[in-house]
Structures are given as structure tokens and as C-alpha cells.
Amino acid sequence: MRRINAYVVLALSLDALLLLVCFFHTPAVLDKSRVPLVVDKTSAGVVVQRIVDAEAASNLQPEDVIVAWGKTRLQIPEALEFLADLSEIGETVPFVVQRGEQTFTTTIRLIPYYESPVRNIIIILFVGVIIWGVGVFVLLSRPFDSMARLLHWSMISFATIIMITWGKISPDSVDTYLSRSLFFVSYAGVVSGLLYFTLMFPRPKPLSPFLMRSIAFIPLTVVSILLVYFHLLAIREVSVERYIEFQRVFDLFHTLILLYAGGGIAALIHSNRSVPVAEERERLRWIMWGLVLGPLPFLVLIVVPQLFSPAGIVPEEYTTIFFIIIPLTMALSVVRYRTFDIEVVINRGVVYGVLTLILVATYIVMVLMATSLIGGSIVFEEYFFIILVTLLIAAVFNPLRDRIQKIVDESLFTTRVNFRNIVRQVSEQLRKVLTTEELFHTTAREICKHIECDAIAGYERRGNRFRRLAVKGKELPEEVNLPARIEKKAESSHAFAVPLVAGSRRADIDISEHQWLREHGVALMIPIFSEARSILAVIMLRPSPKIGSYDEVEFDLLLEVASVAGEVLERLKLQERIFIEKEEQRRLEELNRLKSYFVSSVSHELRMPLTSIKMFAETLRLGRVKSQRQVKEYLEIIEGETNRLARLIENVLDFSKIERGVKEYQFEKAYIQDITARAVGAMRYQFQSQKARLRVSVSKKLPPIIADADAIEEVIINLLSNALKYSTGRKDIELRVTNHRSEISLMVKDKGIGIPKSELPNLFTAFYRVRDAQSAQVGGAGLGLSLVKHIVEAHHGRVEVKSEVGKGSRFTITLPVNHAENHSHR
């Protein structure tokens, strides 16, 4: 017999005392009242969203603004619950209401907070007592284990907050102050305790003990003290203003709970990955499932919505039942894996009997909840005992029925027993696959292992057709077009077969499409459905001639395999979508990086001509230049730099128009020699300032072209600018315009640094810069060549480039002479 020390006696006494306090608090829960409205906070104030009880709500309507409760002004929706808690069920309350421009006073009657108070009390006491019992059991089993003690207090705190849920309050009631204080302290205790438990179990995380205790306990302890202070102060002073201060702290408290929950899950995942022993991982997995799945509905449906709205998505009692998962998984972990080294010395059958009883009781409560949800609280309270007795009888006879079914199956239907094993084995194989092709190959292989097939193939849906991804046996069609009538019939049929193969007639096998099946060389087709019942793929096969038809069990096997294949296929498609989304995200990040580089480059390009303009303009303004020749030279520099600046801005604006799809070209009769002369004139200053040589050769008697002259001039300027920019050594550039049959060729050649062959495919991509050391030293935004390509293609021309590193580059633009468009072109 285990030795019981003073700590255990004190802890059990406190446990019993807390349980008594929770029981004595029950009447306050039954007496809790509420307004017959659902309200929310908007910019207009506290607005009625929905009427719960039209009779009690008097003449209130949705969209009405609740200005005041009597003489107390309302600023937040939560204040309504606070004031209702201070009132009686059935009490009439005056409301000041604003409807449009009209303000008037009306009265409402308070209604019970819980639709079915009896149902709510049954649920919270049922769940709370079970969790309380698990906490006591853990302490008695391992009284000297620190982790067991921590879990004990977490379970007791958990049971307390469930059973001592908010009820009617009275400023002069001891129960009010005690229950509300216990609620907040227990709430903080259970969250902090469970986080610390996840940090320490099964072994401490790589953090200092002091740091782990500080993280787990200090923040919530401080916030819970503030909660108790502001809440009790609001009750004592009956002050909505104080309650608003409390609500701000409560929102912070909820945020911390979500952070703690995330931290606990992360700690459990870390533990699960780091423990070396398989049995220890399995033990931890049971606890992890309990701690994650138990509070999850409460967090998702109650806590998270309350950060944005005063009410949860569903009544709190519907999420409370899920808390039973925590002690249930804990008990199963203790029984199977001796968690905390607890060895259950009582009969194992009794242990599983208790666990079964918990499951049955949970099942009963959930059915009662569903009955209440459908029929209302009156149905629940009127037929409670009838439903309870019926479910208890079903719970008693269900294990007996399962046992009889097992004996009959093993004795008389051995094929069916083997069928279950086969389905399990095939399912394991299918769930291991990583690609769609592998899934269909595995499906075909596994089916052929257990069913005689002459040929079998798997087809995946691609639009309106189905493409073959795997085939085994004799050849089958590579593509299949499934008629709409068959897709319609698939909503009620699990398979399509020719009459001979179907054997005994089954309602879920359609034999009316035998002609279509024979045309495709198959005798059976099984659709693979998604959860939404759309056809993702099909399996088509022919049975071996020696068997002719399939029996019931073989059909069941095929349908089961198709069902599992559908689940796996959906998972693979989801993974594929996730991969595509990640790839798109990567591309967006790359584009953002390029645009950031573009902004930086454009800023640099703008700064250079602006600096020159400012410097020479300031020199002229101060009168430092006396010679008219120098004045003219400086003015030419300012004009040249201004033109250079204008060209850069024009490039940016043109690219913006192209990106938005609003760039327009005005096609009209133009002469390429005039366009070339204007472009050369525009670039003269830049060539002179860099002492570069430009050789221009334009053939005589060039025919006119239909083009946007300004756009073609921009092309030539961009090519000349690039040639000048990348001629870092010998700046010798040639521009040649020639006529060849029905095309005009415009060539710009330099003797600059050249372009590596690997970079040529990306040369005309917006923001792209050649990635070598020499090019990186040259400024530029990476827009010029992309604009050139867009303009030339809009003129139905083409761009060609030849380049050799260290020897220079040659860009050739070819434009059609007889391009007949003479209207605006976007």
C-alpha cells in the first residue's frame, strides 16, 4: 500500500473543498440571466444583430443602437452581460435606443442565459467531475512525482473552471467574489500548468528551469491578478467603466491563452520528434492528442471569436463536452504505457470497463445535446429519462452484438475476414505513395494481387478527358472521354459493368452502359470520387477469361480500394497545390526583390543627371562663367542632362503602361531616316560627354513604313544608350539602317564588354540584369530592352542579338515595310 504523506492529504482536502464550492455554485449558474438580443460593437455603437426572443425584446429591431441600460451608457457589448448578471431572470429593464435619427426609450425582459439550464448543468458537472477524478487518480498513483503533481493541479484547475462557470452575481454575496476569483485563478493555473507540463514532459526542454517557470507562470499570474482586481472592483462598485477596464485585460488574457496553446503544441511536437524510444513516442502521442483536440473547439469557437465579438460561435456547453478527450486519452496512456510509471494494479477488464463507461457516458451526453439542439430545451427536459434508458440499453447490448458478429464472421465467413485484412494491407500500401503516377501503378498492382485481371488501367482526369497513368496486362486506350450521362449516373452508382461481369445484380452497379464499356475494350469501370463527389479518376479493367465474373466480396474490395485511392489522390493534389502556391510565393518574392532593385537603380540613375543640372545651373546663376562660349557649353550640358532625365522617366512611364495594358501606339506613315536622325540628335550630348564615337549609316531611298515614329525613336535611343553604357573601354558604336526586300533592318553594334550566352534568354525580361562583375558596375533599371521588345513586337517585327564576352554585342531590329495597321493599337 502506498504511503500517503501530508502533502497528499492537504491536496486531497483542497480538491474536495473546491468540488464542494463548485456544487454550491450551481444555483447561481441556473439563475444567470441575459438580454434577449445578440449585439455587436460597430462604429455606430452597440448594435442589435439578432433578436433571440421577440416577445421579451419588445419592439427592438436588428440594426437598432443600444445607447443605455436605464441611466447607464453602454460602450461595449460585454457590458450587457455584466449588467444582466446583476439582475434577475424575468426582470424588466429600460433601454435607451437609437433607430436612425430617432431616439426613444423602451423596455425588455431578461431571459435565462442558458437555453436549457438543466442540460448545461449536467454537461459541466459530468465533464468537470471526470476531469477532477483523473486529477485525483494521478496524484494518488504518483504522489512524489513532480510532473504528476503538476498534472494533478492542472486537472483540478481545469475541472474548477468548467464547473464554476459564470453565474448570477451579487455585490454582497460571498459566492460571487469567491467563484469569480477562483475562475480567473484556475483559468490562469490550468493554462500555465499545461504549458509548463509540455515544457518538462517527458524530459525538460533545452532551457533553464527558471526561464521555463518564468515563461509559464509569470505573465498569466500577473494578468490573472489584474483580472481579479478589476472584475471584483466592477462588481463592488456596480460600475460599467470598471468593467470596460476589466474587459481590456480579459482580451489580453485571451491573447496570452492562444500564445500559450501554440507554445504547448510546439513543445509537444518537439518532444515527439526528439524522444528516441518508440513506446515513449506513442505514450506522448496519446497525451498530445488529448491536449490538442480537447481544448481546440473551445479555442476556435469561443476564445478566438471573443477577441473580435462579444459572443462565441456556438453555446459554450457544446464545446465543453470535447474537454472529456483530455482525461480519456490520459487514462488510455496510463493503461497502455504506464505514463508517469503508474502501474494499474486492479483488474485490466475493470480498467477498460471504466474507460468504456466514460465513452458511453460521453456518447449519451452528446446524443442528448443533439436532441436538445433539434427539439429545444423542453424536449430535452421532458424526455431526458426515456432517452437515457434507451441509450443505456443500446450501450449494454452493443458489445454483445459486436462479439456475436465476430464469432459468426470467423466461423462462417472466412472470406470476409480475409477481405478486411486485404483492405488494410492495400490501404497501407496506397497511403505510402508520393506521386499520382505511383498511386495508380500501386493501385493496379495491388488489385491484380487479389483479383484475376486480364487488363487494368488507371486514368486521371485532365479537363474533360481522362488520361492513362498506369496500365497492367493487355493494352487499354491511352485516353478516355467520359460522356456527361455517365458522370450523371455516377452520382448514384459506384461502378459500371457489363452484365456478365456484374454477376448477381447489385443496386450500386450500373449495367446500362455495357455498350460504351465494350467499345473501350473493358468490362468494368470504377469511378474514384473526391469528398465533394466529383470524379477525380477512373479504374477500368477486364476480368480474366477463366473467371468471367466477380462475386460480392471482390466488388466490395474494388470499391474499398477505389475509396482509399480517392482519399490519397485528394491528398496528393492538395500537396501539389501547396507546392504550386509556394512556387508562386517564391516568384512573387523574386519580383519584389527585382522591383526593390529597380527603385534603387532608378533613384541612382535620376540622381546623376540631377546632380549635373544642379551643379551647372548653380555655376551660371552665381555668374562664375564670363565666356559666352562656356555659357553655351554649360547650357548644352544642362539640356543634354535634362533630355537624359526625361528619357529615363519616359521609360518608366512606358513600362508602367505596358504592365497595366494601356500602352497605345499611333500607327501612321513614317520615314525611318527621319526617326534615326532625331534619335541620333537626342543622344549627341551623351556621346560627346563620354568622348564616344558614333558611326551612322543609313541607306538611301528607304521606303516609308507604317509605325509609331516616337516609339521607334525610343527603340533606337534605348539601343544606343545601352551600347554606350556597356562600352566601358573602347567606345566605338555603329548604327546602320538598311532595306532588304519588304523589311527594314536597323542594327546597333558596339565593342563593349559583351553578354554571356547563358544570359541571352533572359535579356528582354523586365528588371533583369546580367549577373557578372562588369555588368554589376554599370547602372540601369533593367527596363530598356524589355521596352524595345514590346515596341518591336507591337510593330510585328523581331529583335535579334548576337554577343561575345569581351568583344561586344550586336542588336538587330527588323520591321516590316508593308505593315498595314494605320489605327491606334494597344
Side-chain angles (χ1 to χ4, degrees), residues 92-143:
T92 301
V93 178
F95 268 20
V96 178
V97 180
Q98 182 178 342
R99 182 181 296 163
E101 300 297 327
Q102 178 187 4
T103 301
F104 60 93
T105 301
T106 186
T107 59
I108 61 103
R109 176 170 49 82
L110 298 180
I111 62 174
Y113 185 85
Y114 297 103
E115 180 184 349
S116 174
V118 174
R119 178 189 67 200
N120 184 65
I121 289 297
I122 289 173
I123 291 170
I124 63 175
L125 290 181
F126 169 71
V127 175
V129 169
I130 288 179
I131 295 175
W132 182 88
V134 170
V136 171
F137 170 74
V138 170
L139 179 65
L140 291 175
S141 302
R142 295 291 294 172

Side-chain angles (χ1 to χ4, degrees), residues 441 444 448 452-459 468-478 520-524 539-546:
H441 281 291
C448 289
E452 292 285 342
C453 295
D454 185 48
I456 182 171
Y459 295 82
R468 192 184 73 199
L469 290 185
V471 64
K472 190 171 178 62
K474 296 182 180 178
E475 199 70 11
L476 290 176
E478 289 189 0
H520 289 80
V522 297
L524 178 64
I539 298 172
M540 304 179 73
L541 64 148
R542 285 195 307 268
S544 173
K546 65 182 180 182

